[in-house]
Amino acid sequence: MKPGKNEAETLLDRVDFFRRMEPDLKKHLLKVVQVRRFEREGVILTQEEAGTSLYFIVAGGVKVILYGEDGKEITLSTLGAGDFFGEMAMIDGEPRSASVVALDDTILLIITRQDFLSLIRRYPRMALEFLSEMSRRLRKADEMIGSLALLDVAGRVARFLLELAKEEGIQEAEGMVVSNRPTHQEIASRIGTTRETVTRVLGELVRRGYITIKGKKVIIHESLPPPARLSLH
């Protein structure tokens, strides 16, 4: 859906990426940007479909997932307001490498591949910003691969909690507090294990005083060892 000018300006102003760009870029974006809304669990992209658009998250959030041949879901990452996705297909023209599903009611700004390529030719800084973000994501992917290869399940759960605390936590007297803890199944999908195993490990972390769980809230205490040194045996 093509947004009205006032709506488009309002939505663009809510995305940090665009606020960092040249003022003149906004004028061109207003001519080409589209807006779409997805309800919770709505499928935004599917793996292997043609990559024809780039998506910026204005509100809500998404999960980037792969499905195994047995139907098992693996969550590669979750993205929130201000993030973007679909950039790989924008650059190489290949099909989508993963599926994307809305975690909540989500508002997206969309730019077609043709318009995206035209914009980065005209605004080199935009290309540099994308390269910087892609490098950050590659580093994170390397860390994930390393944890799968080098850490046992307890270490992977601990690493997930510490990253969650770094990204979303608020420091309080009792530790780093995360108000909206992912479900056991969501954690399992992120670290390559089962929901039952995550439940067991979290229970043991609570028993040993490394974390405290209160409903959807989790408190990560300073006593939690580094993932590589954590042993629950």
Side-chain angles (χ1 to χ4, degrees), residues 74-91:
I74 300 173
T75 301
L76 300 179
S77 64
T78 57
L79 303 171
D83 289 324
F84 58 81
F85 59 91
E87 72 280 0
M88 289 174 61
M90 291 299 91
I91 294 171

Side-chain angles (χ1 to χ4, degrees), residues 3-75:
K5 184 176 179 181
N6 289 339
E7 181 186 22
E9 286 183 311
T10 300
L11 295 177
L12 284 171
D13 287 341
R14 290 169 63 182
V15 179
D16 287 341
F17 182 89
F18 295 127
R19 288 202 294 266
R20 296 196 298 268
M21 296 295 100
E22 297 92 330
D24 188 49
L25 173 60
K26 186 174 179 179
K27 298 177 184 178
H28 292 276
L29 286 167
L30 288 172
K31 298 176 183 177
V32 300
V33 72
Q34 301 175 45
V35 62
R36 285 195 66 185
R37 292 171 170 80
F38 289 85
E39 295 182 351
R40 176 182 172 87
E41 299 298 330
V43 177
I44 300 168
L45 301 176
T46 57
Q47 189 175 351
E48 299 300 334
E49 74 176 44
T52 59
S53 299
L54 175 68
Y55 298 78
F56 290 85
I57 305 172
V58 178
V62 305
K63 59 180 177 179
V64 183
I65 55 179
L66 293 175
Y67 293 104
E69 293 183 359
D70 59 355
K72 182 179 179 181
E73 179 183 301
I74 300 173
T75 301

